[in-house]
Amino acid sequence: MSEEFEPRIIAFCCQYCAYSAADMAGSMRLQYPCNVEIVLIPCTGRFDVILALKAFESGADGVYVAGCLEGNCHFLDGNIRAKQRVAYLQKEIQKIGVEPERLAMYNLSASQGPRFAEIVNEFSETISRVGPSPMRKNLAA
Ligand code: FES
């Protein structure tokens, strides 16, 4: 893969945990790649397959969902439903030849700023390894 490839990543972050953890990571001045676009959602239960597909279609090379720790969702089981949707979509994209690791689910608490930075680094490394997404629209058009 070209060494110039910088993956574009979209992260759907729950406002109660992952988004707060991202804030904390920023306040702590933790280093993580700047190629992640964070989309605030009220709960990962709001995440659905269409959101992920639209993110890929708009040029994302990787998409992840970050929600509260299991058992701590403010809407009871939103993060469990999100986990199921992520697992479902991973299988579906694999059927059309897209690497399932382009989609992931993470759980963390609002106080885990360092974990947020770690996740961004880990996921960014994974997507750099698998390369540009074949699901991008023809950007040259
Ligand atoms: Fe955070 Fe549901 S409120 S995942």
Side-chain angles (χ1 to χ4, degrees):
M1 205 46 50
S2 162
E3 58 258 74
E4 292 176 20
F5 172 60
E6 187 177 343
R8 182 171 171 224
I9 293 167
I10 297 183
F12 292 96
C13 294
C14 157
Q15 68 176 334
Y16 291 102
C17 50
Y19 195 82
S20 300
D23 255 356
M24 177 181 279
S27 303
M28 294 172 77
R29 298 175 187 248
L30 299 175
Q31 297 282 316
Y32 62 82
C34 59
N35 53 347
V36 176
E37 297 166 46
I38 296 175
V39 178
L40 174 67
I41 53 177
C43 168
T44 55
R46 178 66 184 79
F47 172 79
D48 66 25
V49 167
I50 299 297
L51 279 179
L53 292 175
K54 282 194 177 290
F56 281 122
E57 187 185 68
S58 73
D61 299 297
V63 173
Y64 72 83
V65 185
C68 301
L69 295 170
E70 289 192 16
N72 286 347
C73 172
H74 289 62
F75 298 93
L76 302 178
D77 62 354
N79 51 3
I80 303 298
R81 285 184 282 122
K83 181 181 172 181
Q84 291 166 344
R85 290 175 188 143
V86 166
Y88 166 79
L89 189 55
Q90 282 174 324
K91 284 184 196 148
E92 293 304 307
I93 63 175
Q94 192 167 22
K95 287 179 190 169
I96 57 167
V98 175
E99 304 84 352
E101 55 265 53
R102 291 190 185 280
L103 182 64
M105 169 95 198
Y106 295 98
N107 299 88
L108 71 173
S109 73
S111 62
Q112 290 184 294
R115 177 64 186 136
F116 182 85
E118 217 175 77
I119 288 169
V120 175
N121 282 308
E122 276 172 24
F123 193 69
S124 195
E125 278 172 27
T126 299
I127 302 305
S128 294
R129 183 172 40 78
V130 294
S133 170
M135 286 193 281
R136 284 183 187 205
K137 270 186 176 172
N138 185 352
L139 300 175

